[in-house]
Amino acid sequence: KKCWLWLIDWDNNPNWPKNIWDKWTLWQYTGDGNGPEPHKVDGISGNCDRDKFNGEEYALKEFWESNKI
């Protein structure tokens, strides 16, 4: 509960134990060709795992640089 959540849920509407975490920080929404589109990344052949940060770009930069990862 005291750490951030990197959620893996290959569904359009992520689900997680909300009694432990009130929100997710990172969400892997697709992997191995499963889950919502897009599965591709320009310049990379084949499917890719795709993730989303729960916040604005500046907040992601602050999060990454804060050594919380």
Side-chain angles (χ1 to χ4, degrees):
K1 185 171 187 164
K2 294 181 181 184
C3 66
W4 54 273
L5 174 62
W6 191 333
L7 174 68
I8 299 172
D9 191 340
W10 298 340
D11 196 357
N12 288 318
N13 299 306
N15 191 19
W16 66 95
K18 295 175 179 80
N19 60 326
I20 299 174
W21 292 277
D22 59 347
K23 66 177 184 171
W24 50 267
T25 304
L26 294 168
W27 170 28
Q28 182 180 334
Y29 62 89
T30 187
D32 299 330
N34 298 309
E37 295 285 343
H39 296 172
K40 306 284 184 194
V41 174
D42 289 341
I44 299 175
S45 63
N47 293 327
C48 294
D49 292 353
R50 302 291 303 260
D51 299 272
K52 184 182 285 189
F53 178 72
N54 194 2
E56 301 295 327
E57 185 176 343
Y58 76 90
L60 172 60
K61 185 175 190 250
E62 288 176 0
F63 175 75
W64 225 251
E65 291 175 350
S66 73
N67 296 314
K68 290 183 180 179
I69 57 172

